[in-house]
Amino acid sequence: MAQSASEARMGYIMGKAEGDGELWHGHVTALTVAPEYRRMQLAKRLMDVLENISDKMYNAYFVDLFVRESNSVAIGMYTQFGYSIYRTVLGYYSGSGDSENAYDMRKALPRDKLKKSIIPLKHPVKPEDLEW
């Protein structure tokens, strides 16, 4: 969690390490920045922390996250951070009769020297087909 000098909550990131073999990776579960602290590079700093932990502590191959297909602002931000769309997950977000696809976005870490973890899949997958 990031706090201001006055101890106001500015934002937070939650993540985990998961997978097996070359699918061992860091996963961004949630990233949130309070509206009054946006456009200050706080999201980038929080993502850098998670990426560094995934790399240095867990020796992961990549970091991934899921984002709504319609969330162009977040997709643009993650792209600026070096993430690319690995695959589309059909109907990942669902509830109250609506569903929306997600993009699984990934960023290779130094352990993945050939960047195999970010080669895009050609076909979408369903949530039940996800490895983790």
Side-chain angles (χ1 to χ4, degrees):
M1 180 185 324
Q3 290 183 313
S4 69
S6 64
E7 297 187 13
R9 293 185 180 118
M10 299 166 61
Y12 67 88
I13 192 165
M14 292 190 310
K16 60 185 174 181
E18 62 184 0
D20 288 317
E22 290 185 352
L23 292 178
W24 179 244
H25 67 283
H27 175 74
V28 179
T29 304
L31 172 65
T32 301
V33 175
E36 61 271 26
Y37 295 105
R38 292 181 183 161
R39 307 239 179 252
M40 299 170 71
Q41 299 296 310
L42 182 57
K44 174 71 171 127
R45 291 196 308 262
L46 291 168
M47 290 292 290
D48 286 347
V49 169
L50 189 135
E51 291 167 13
N52 284 327
I53 290 170
S54 297
D55 177 30
K56 307 284 190 250
M57 288 183 62
Y58 292 102
N59 197 27
Y61 285 90
F62 61 94
V63 172
D64 81 341
L65 57 90
F66 294 94
V67 62
R68 288 181 181 272
E69 199 174 48
S70 65
N71 193 343
S72 59
V73 172
I75 293 164
M77 178 185 74
Y78 293 126
T79 300
Q80 286 181 342
F81 295 170
Y83 286 77
S84 59
I85 297 171
Y86 172 70
R87 61 185 167 184
T88 300
V89 183
L90 301 173
Y92 182 80
Y93 295 100
S94 61
S96 65
D98 293 338
S99 83
E100 185 174 350
N101 298 339
Y103 289 137
D104 176 357
M105 298 187 75
R106 293 184 176 188
K107 181 178 183 177
L109 295 177
R111 184 175 184 189
D112 184 5
K113 293 181 185 357
L114 300 177
K115 300 195 182 311
K116 293 192 303 185
S117 65
I118 62 169
I119 298 171
L121 294 186
K122 295 180 184 192
H123 303 289
V125 299
K126 296 177 183 173
E128 59 266 24
D129 297 329
L130 295 173
E131 299 87 4
W132 309 104

